[in-house]
Structure formats: structure tokens, C-alpha cells
Amino acid sequence: MSTLRFNLVQEAFNHQVVPAQSLPKNIAALYGENVFNLDTMRRCMSRSVYKKVQEAIAAGKAIDPEIAESVALAMKKWAMKKGATHYTHWFHPLNDGTAEKHDSFIQKDGPYKVIEEFNGKLLVQQEPDASSFPNGGIRNTFEARGYSAWDPSSPAFIVDDTLCIPTIFISYTGEALDYKTPLLKSLSAVCEAAKETCGFFVNDVQRVTSNLGWEQEYFLVDEALFSARPDLMMCGRTIMGHESAKNQQLEDHYFGSIPKRVVEYMKDLELEAYKLGIPLKTRHNEVAPNQFEFAPIYEETNLAVDHNLVLMDLMRKVAPKHHFRVLLHEKPFAGINGSGKHCNWSLTTDTGINLFAPGKHPKDNLLFVTFLVNTLMAVHKHNALLKASVASAGNAYRLGAHEAPPAIISVFLGTQLTQLLADFEKEDSEDGLKMKAKSRLNLNVSIIPELMLDNTDRNRTSPFAFTGNRFEFRAAGSSANCASSMIVLNTAVAGQLMDFNAAMKERMIRGESKEQALYALLREYIKIAKPVCFEGNGYSDEWKAEASRRGLDCETSIPLQYDAYLKPQSIDLFAQTKVLNEKELAARNEVKWETYTKKIQIEARVLGDLALNHIVPVAIKYQSSLLDNLFKLKTLYKDEDYQELSVDKSEKIKKIEYYINQIQKLTDAMVEARKVANRITNEREKAIAYHDTVEPYFEKIRNLIDELELMVDNELWPLPKYRELLFIR
Ligand code: ADP
Ligand code: MG
């Protein structure tokens, strides 16, 4: 074996279980101890200040300067007591990560002295020099200023020695440069619209909350082996590697017993997560070898998004202690499942109603049916936009790959709800319908909760499935900031509910009763939205043809999927809900195209380097040893004997020659295609060129290399193989 690979495999094999810090018996006692949440505030601040902060947070209002001053003082005192020396405005730039610039609390106090200071101004707003964050042209350099502004609805927290203050990030001219700003706007839009919708049924709802429970899938690999795979280090995924003889075909990994080394990692991570108030609930093996999942108890969407980002960071930070590296990429290994981040989403009221829970009483049921049908409408109308919200270079390798939802957004409702909507739609007399629907709804819906919670009725191939009391959006990628899909989903539903509320009022002004208006509208909506409902196998080719007939978006090219953001219907939606204006949408698309191009560009470079500098030389070496062997045999045998016994070897030599040649040719052609694409200045066109002309080489080159992997002497092969990477003991 190549000495480097051999040593690293040995090193990985020798990695022992590293015991986790012991989880205290009473998790509740340390839960959230590093978070400046309302509970901490109540203990650290005067009652009047606390009350004002609480009210502002509850109402989603800004906190006035004097109050901010008191909060800042209390925050600093609390943080310093916990050992914090620095603080940072923590925000989500448009790059699937988080940004933080740590500043110390110290201020000069005379020539030789410093004091520790933190005030309301520093808490509320800062001007980070962040001109190199992606901005899609909104901040040309002469106006490269951006502001970060405190988001009081997500509590500050301490990581290591730093107090992290969640903030939004906007340009000098007011445009959003992050995920949080539009997320908060979309949440407030859906809250307002849903509150008004609730008003047609009950009159005590003051606030509607959007909830998110994400399920974070990930892979672990041993750090020694990771360090010998430049593709894992640079791209987060393997861009070559022949399938291991055994992978997931025995279905022995999913929910199997978790390897001891991994359990200890999970425990350490959970401890850190609990201290930060992240309510991790579930840990288990996923389908592929080395694949695992964490899921928390669901929370308010803005908080859940922050918690997911903090957790992804923690996952990376805790891994080295256990000699692991975390892979959050959507498709780290070919031939086995990739990773997603299912987003479980619901709307609840401050009066304790889950608007997606079918409920027992007819009145509640109509509320439920109203929200259900409006969600169908939103997903139907904006199915292309929802797909664009999860589109990325990494997720493209996963979606539609017979393991994850296809690149078509449809809704799965289950047999009961499908029947209920069909019945609803069939009625022709509105009065009759009104009477019958009431009793029928009562009858049918009361049995739904039990049935829906049964796993047999959960279509795993659907990208957007109703799962009993919530929708599960399964198309999001594992490395993504789930704000992206949550912005679109909440905005789409907000826009739809606004239209519904307006149509209701209009009909009632025209003299229709509330019931008449409601039934008429819901029936109309069911008819319109029906094409987005699909109960069958989403992986099948028939569905692709059928979906296209139904007018659903079937675009598979990522750069073209992003166009959905700039269609008039999307621009109108974002304007109607005041979530993003046209300039922001255009700028954000520039960032998406640019990011796509860069990811493919990096992969292409790494592939070229590995192919020509790592693989081809090794193949030549092996081929030479075969040639050498042939020459020596020739001296030993008579001509006719030699002819016969050399056939296989010379065939092999020729085959290797062919592969080497093809790899060289294709790599040269790929480099050429890149050069052509690089000359394009329009970001959209460039991304399309990368998609259409560069990326197609990846699989072709990889297949040749994977063939060589099977032929070349195992001892010479330089890269850790799948069978070595994928089985943690
Ligand atoms: P699965 O069987 O899909 O793995 P789980 O029961 O593990 O489902 O739940 C997955 C996620 O869904 C968890 O984060 C859970 O808290 C969340 N969840 C459950 N109910 C709701 C709800 N009403 N709204 C939003 N998320 C929810
Ligand atoms: Mg799930």
C-alpha cells in the first residue's frame, strides 16, 4: 500500500473511543446556562426593564435606547461572570455560514489603563468592516458599509470566551445582506395574515407563530483518512472513489446500534447544545454507513434557524476531540444516500391551537381545512420558487437521485385528507354542502390524527408531506441555512392568506354569509391546487412526465432554477408581503449564481489536480511494472508460449493506456471549457456555462478513475478508498 495511505489507515484503526464529558444527571439544571434568555434577564435586570423587554419581544417591536442601555449592562455583567472577555455581533451572511468578528470588552481609560465596557449603542448597532461578504453588487466598494443590528427575539449566548449577539445585517442603503432580515419579515407577514384568517373563526387570537423542527443529517469520517483526501478537504465531498463492495445494501445501518466512538461524540455535542439551550431530542444512525442524524424539539422558526446554525458550528468544533471530521455536504459519497435537512413546519396561535392539527370539533376542523387548503395553494403557485429555495450545487447531486425527493415540488396528503378534499370539491349545491360538510368533516377528520401518525401512511418520496400535525419540507440540503426555505415557505403562505382574507371580505361585502364565502373559496382553491397533490412514487419516471403535464416546474439545472426568484409572480409576492424588494431579489440571485460557479470551479480544479498529479502517475507506475514483467517473461519463454501467456497482461496494459489517455483528454477539455466560461462576465450566463459545459466532465472523468482504482495495485493507490472511509468501528 502507498506508505502514506497505509499509515493513515493504521492511524484511523488505532483511534480509540474518547470518553465524552459526563452528562450531568440533571440536564434541566444546566440547560440554557450560556444563554441570556428571558429567564436570565429576569434574574439580572430590574422588574420594570425586564417587563419592557419582554413586551417588546412578544410584540416583535424594537427596544428603545434607554432600555437597550440597561440590557447591555446586564448582559455584560452576566457574560463577564461566565468568563466572557469578548463580544460579537453574530449574523448570517449569504454564504451558508455565520459571521463573527470578536471585539474585546476593553476600552482605554487613561494612558496606562483599560476598563471593560459594553453599552447600549454597541449592543444595538454596529458597522462591521465586512466589504468582502457576498452582496450581489449592492455594496460597491465606495459604499462598502453595512450595519449589523440587534435581533432581540433571539437571545444572546456565549461560545468559549465570546458573547454572541444575534443580529441582522443590512447595507448602508437599507437592503438585506443576510438571511435573518427577510426571515424575520416573512415571519411577521405570515403571523399578521394568519391572525386575520383566524379572525374568521375565533376572535381571541393575538399572535400566530411559525414553528420549525429541523432534522440534521451528517456524515462522520476519521480525521486521519480525511486529511489524505484533498477532495474532502476542499469540496466537502469525494469527487472520485469506487463503491465499496458492501455499503448500505444490507440496510443494517439505519437505526442500528450507534458505534461507541460516535456515541461519545454525540454526548459531548449534546452537552454543549444543552448549555446553549438547543433542545436536542433525537440521535440515530441514518441509512448510509457513517451517516447520522440529530433532531431537536421544534421551536419558533427564527430561534430554530439560529440554533441549527450554532449546532452545525458546534458539530465541527467538537469532532476533532474524537478524531472525526463532520461532513455536512449533501452528497459526500456516490452510490449511497446523501444528507438532507427535513424542515418540519407548522403555525400555532397564542391560544394554543396548532393550525395544522385536524382537531375534534367541526369549527376547529374548518380552521384546519382553511389553513391546509391555503398552504396547498401557496405550494402550488410557488412550487418553482420553493425548489429554488433549496437549490445549490451540493443539493443537485442529491435531489432526484432515488434517495431524496425529486426536483419537482409536490404535496403528499395521505388517503384520508385526499378523500376529504375530493368530497369537498364534488359538492355542487352550496347550501347542501354547508350542512353536509359540517357533519362529514366532523366524522372524517376526527380519525385523522391516529392514522396520520402511523408510519405506513408516510410517503418518503414526497418533498412536501403532511405528517399529522405539520408539513415536512424534505428537499432542503444538509449544509443549507434553513432560513432560505423558511423565507420562501412563510412568505408564500403569507401572500396566499392575504389573498384569501381579501377575497373573503369582498364576498361578504357582496352579501354572502361567512360560510358561503368560505366554502366557495375553499372549493375553488382545491380545484386550482389539485395538480400539486401527488400520492404516488415520486422517484418514478412516470411522475416526471405527469408533473410536466400538470404544469409543475421540472427544471433540473440549478442556475435556471434560480430564475424562479425573478419571475413577475415572485417579485409581486415578495413586494406584497414586504419581505424583499426587486433590487434585493436581483442582488441575491447574483450571489446564488456566483456561489454556484465557484463551487463547480473549485471541484473542477481539484478533480484536474487529483486526476493528473495523483492518479495518472500511479497508473503509469503500475503499467510500467506490468511492462517490465512482460519483458522479463519474454526472456524466459519460447515465442509461441509467450504469445499465449502474455495476452491478458498486454490487454491490461492497453486498457490502462486507454484510461490514462482519456483522463488526460477529458481533463484538458474540462480546463478549456472552464477558460471559456471564465470569460463570461454575466453571473447567470457564467453559472449556466459551468453547469452545461464544465460539470458534465465530472462523472466522465470519475468513471475512468474508478475503473483504474479496480485495476491498479492496491498498494500503490494513493487515496483512502470508500471501504476505508466508510466504516467507523
Ligand atoms: P420523523 O419521524 O419525521 O423523524 P420526529 O417525530 O422525529 O419525526 O420529528 C421530527 C421533527 O419534527 C422534530 O424536530 C419535531 O420536534 C418536529 N415537530 C413535531 N411536531 C411539530 C409541529 N407541530 N410543528 C413543527 N415541528 C414539529
Ligand atoms: Mg422526518
Side-chain angles (χ1 to χ4, degrees):
M1 203 184 282
S2 81
T3 35
L4 177 65
R5 175 169 145 241
F6 176 78
N7 289 341
L8 293 172
V9 169
Q10 194 61 42
E11 190 182 325
F13 191 79
N14 287 340
H15 278 148
Q16 300 296 315
V17 173
V18 181
Q21 311 167 61
S22 51
L23 268 177
K25 285 191 190 66
N26 185 1
I27 292 171
L30 63 79
Y31 186 77
E33 71 174 25
N34 290 342
V35 185
F36 196 68
N37 52 25
L38 280 174
D39 208 37
T40 320
M41 287 189 204
R42 195 165 36 79
R43 280 184 276 115
C44 300
M45 301 186 318
S46 75
R47 267 189 54 186
S48 63
V49 172
Y50 169 74
K51 222 170 139 248
K52 286 204 177 116
V53 175
Q54 190 193 25
E55 280 164 9
I57 292 175
K61 297 261 159 59
I63 288 172
D64 55 40
E66 306 96 82
I67 301 293
E69 198 59 49
S70 310
V71 176
L73 279 180
M75 212 185 250
K76 182 193 83 175
K77 211 166 137 195
W78 168 81
M80 283 178 57
K81 219 161 93 188
K82 297 216 138 263
T85 52
H86 289 64
Y87 66 93
T88 181
H89 273 197
W90 179 84
F91 55 95
H92 317 167
L94 297 171
N95 62 10
D96 286 343
T98 55
E100 44 193 274
K101 182 188 102 195
H102 299 188
D103 280 313
S104 156
F105 284 127
I106 59 167
Q107 297 282 355
K108 272 291 233 189
D109 188 33
Y112 309 112
K113 261 175 71 186
V114 293
I115 51 163
E116 271 136 339
E117 207 178 87
F118 184 63
N119 57 34
K121 250 169 67 194
L122 293 173
L123 167 67
V124 169
Q125 189 173 311
Q126 287 192 23
E127 209 177 306
D129 174 24
S131 46
S132 41
F133 288 113
N135 64 75
I138 279 183
R139 301 166 69 213
N140 27 34
T141 32
F142 66 88
E143 234 181 36
R145 276 190 290 172
Y147 289 112
S148 54
W150 181 34
D151 165 22
S153 65
S154 179
F157 55 91
I158 297 174
V159 174
D160 296 331
D161 59 359
T162 304
L163 169 68
C164 303
I165 300 156
T167 53
I168 58 167
F169 182 45
I170 52 177
S171 76
Y172 182 63
T173 40
E175 288 92 3
L177 295 172
D178 66 347
Y179 284 106
K180 199 188 252 290
T181 308
L183 178 67
L184 289 171
K185 288 181 178 172
S186 73
L187 295 174
S188 122
V190 81
C191 166
E192 282 310 309
K195 192 170 84 180
E196 198 181 332
T197 308
C198 287
F200 292 114
F201 302 87
V202 286
N203 50 23
D204 55 347
V205 171
Q206 294 302 316
R207 197 175 158 82
V208 174
T209 306
S210 160
N211 306 298
L212 166 65
W214 40 262
E215 303 168 48
Q216 178 71 54
E217 295 181 340
Y218 63 101
F219 279 83
L220 289 174
V221 290
D222 190 279
E223 67 179 1
L225 298 169
F226 175 90
S227 68
R229 294 278 321 207
D231 48 358
L232 279 182
M233 292 207 285
M234 308 278 168
C235 317
R237 74 175 187 108
T238 57
I239 51 181
M240 56 188 63
H242 198 280
E243 261 185 60
S244 156
K246 173 183 185 296
N247 48 43
Q248 66 189 40
Q249 66 272 61
L250 293 178
E251 294 168 352
D252 51 357
H253 194 251
Y254 190 53
F255 284 10
S257 116
I258 305 173
K260 189 76 181 118
R261 259 180 86 189
V262 177
V263 173
E264 296 304 304
Y265 164 70
M266 289 172 162
K267 284 193 210 161
D268 266 336
L269 191 79
E270 281 162 356
L271 184 64
E272 295 308 318
Y274 291 149
K275 288 191 211 160
L276 288 167
I278 304 172
L280 287 186
K281 171 94 173 154
T282 311
R283 48 158 120 120
H284 63 76
N285 285 3
E286 260 301 329
V287 171
N290 279 20
Q291 193 188 24
F292 307 94
E293 178 182 304
F294 276 118
I297 299 168
Y298 70 90
E299 297 178 285
E300 184 278 320
T301 298
N302 177 38
L303 187 61
V305 168
D306 280 359
H307 279 169
N308 180 244
L309 288 165
V310 175
L311 187 85
M312 289 200 285
D313 198 33
L314 275 183
M315 287 169 81
R316 292 192 198 95
K317 282 185 179 148
V318 175
K321 176 181 162 189
H322 299 270
H323 306 293
F324 286 139
R325 288 304 175 110
V326 177
L327 306 180
L328 291 169
H329 193 282
E330 284 77 12
K331 191 75 182 175
F333 302 97
I336 55 175
N337 278 18
S339 301
K341 178 146 54 197
H342 293 181
C343 290
N344 294 268
W345 171 83
S346 66
L347 296 172
T348 49
T349 69
D350 57 345
T351 55
I353 304 172
N354 174 354
L355 295 167
F356 293 114
K360 287 202 175 95
H361 308 291
K363 199 174 69 176
D364 295 341
N365 286 344
L366 276 185
L367 186 61
F368 160 72
V369 174
T370 300
F371 275 90
L372 179 80
V373 170
N374 275 294
T375 305
L376 288 185
M377 276 291 278
V379 177
H380 176 255
K381 189 164 180 197
H382 300 290
N383 70 88
L385 190 57
L386 273 166
K387 188 165 78 184
S389 79
V390 298
S392 68
N395 214 14
Y397 297 117
R398 169 180 166 262
L399 289 189
H402 280 241
E403 58 175 81
I408 300 165
I409 301 296
S410 64
V411 183
F412 171 82
L413 288 175
T415 32
Q416 271 73 32
L417 288 187
T418 304
Q419 188 57 44
L420 183 141
L421 296 189
D423 291 350
F424 217 103
E425 189 200 339
K426 254 187 289 173
E427 292 295 340
D428 39 18
S429 132
E430 287 195 9
D431 281 343
L433 178 107
K434 197 173 87 186
M435 298 313 296
K436 275 190 264 163
K438 275 197 172 181
S439 55
R440 192 187 48 237
L441 281 174
N442 191 13
L443 208 77
N444 278 354
V445 178
S446 60
I447 54 170
I448 287 170
E450 292 79 26
L451 288 171
M452 287 305 302
L453 293 173
D454 174 4
N455 262 321
T456 54
D457 204 17
R458 286 192 179 191
N459 186 331
R460 294 276 160 195
T461 68
S462 175
F464 200 89
F466 184 74
T467 48
N469 59 359
R470 62 188 186 270
F471 280 99
E472 187 168 335
F473 188 28
R474 300 185 178 132
S478 49
S479 71
N481 182 334
C482 29
S484 178
S485 50
M486 284 298 112
I487 291 167
V488 169
L489 179 57
N490 285 294
T491 303
V493 172
Q496 173 56 34
L497 290 174
M498 287 163 88
D499 292 349
F500 169 79
N501 297 339
M504 279 293 284
K505 280 190 252 171
E506 201 185 298
R507 279 172 177 268
M508 282 155 70
I509 288 170
R510 274 197 266 132
E512 290 184 24
S513 74
K514 197 154 67 181
E515 280 77 12
Q516 276 171 327
L518 180 64
Y519 281 113
L521 274 177
L522 291 183
R523 277 174 49 206
E524 182 188 320
Y525 288 174
I526 292 171
K527 279 202 184 74
I528 298 173
K530 214 164 42 173
V532 85
C533 298
F534 178 63
E535 302 287 299
N537 178 8
Y539 298 164
S540 70
D541 287 333
E542 295 84 71
W543 169 231
K544 284 183 201 151
E546 170 66 17
S548 151
R549 273 196 297 278
R550 293 190 190 184
L552 299 177
D553 186 276
C554 298
E555 182 57 63
T556 56
S557 155
I558 299 291
L560 294 179
Q561 285 176 11
Y562 292 146
D563 286 347
Y565 276 101
L566 297 176
K567 296 223 169 88
Q569 156 179 310
S570 307
I571 294 173
D572 289 349
L573 169 74
F574 284 111
Q576 175 194 16
T577 50
K578 300 195 172 62
V579 173
L580 287 163
N581 63 33
E582 196 172 343
K583 186 176 171 195
E584 290 170 311
L585 286 170
R588 296 166 88 89
N589 259 28
E590 293 287 297
V591 174
K592 290 182 212 293
W593 284 313
E594 201 182 328
T595 307
Y596 178 85
T597 297
K598 284 180 181 161
K599 292 236 164 118
I600 301 295
Q601 188 176 54
I602 292 168
E603 291 194 350
R605 286 179 180 159
V606 174
L607 179 57
D609 169 52
L610 283 179
L612 300 187
N613 304 331
H614 296 234
I615 305 300
V616 166
V618 166
I620 292 176
K621 202 166 169 184
Y622 177 59
Q623 188 196 36
S624 305
S625 74
L626 290 177
L627 273 169
D628 188 47
N629 177 264
L630 272 191
F631 278 121
K632 286 175 182 156
L633 288 176
K634 200 166 183 173
T635 61
L636 210 62
Y637 289 92
K638 286 203 298 279
D639 253 9
E640 56 272 33
D641 291 345
Y642 174 76
Q643 288 307 338
E644 202 188 318
L645 67 87
S646 66
V647 172
D648 283 355
K649 274 179 198 150
S650 34
E651 278 310 304
K652 203 169 182 181
I653 289 167
K654 285 180 194 156
K655 229 176 183 174
I656 293 176
E657 192 51 38
Y658 171 76
Y659 288 143
I660 293 175
N661 237 293
Q662 284 300 104
I663 291 173
Q664 183 71 54
K665 270 202 194 117
L666 288 169
T667 308
D668 290 347
M670 177 176 74
V671 171
E672 231 9 80
R674 236 163 58 211
K675 281 189 191 153
V676 174
N678 287 345
R679 283 196 286 270
I680 303 174
T681 47
N682 177 296
E683 290 297 350
R684 177 176 179 273
E685 298 301 321
K686 195 194 263 187
I688 292 171
Y690 262 88
H691 176 272
D692 293 354
T693 67
V694 178
E695 203 261 353
Y697 285 105
F698 291 3
E699 195 164 316
K700 291 186 193 145
I701 297 173
R702 175 206 185 119
N703 287 342
L704 296 165
I705 294 176
D706 290 356
E707 283 302 318
L708 280 176
E709 187 183 321
L710 289 186
M711 294 172 79
V712 171
D713 183 355
N714 182 50
E715 294 209 356
L716 292 176
W717 198 255
L719 301 175
K721 297 186 173 183
Y722 270 26
R723 63 163 190 265
E724 292 154 349
L725 287 166
L726 277 172
F727 297 92
I728 289 170
R729 287 165 301 129

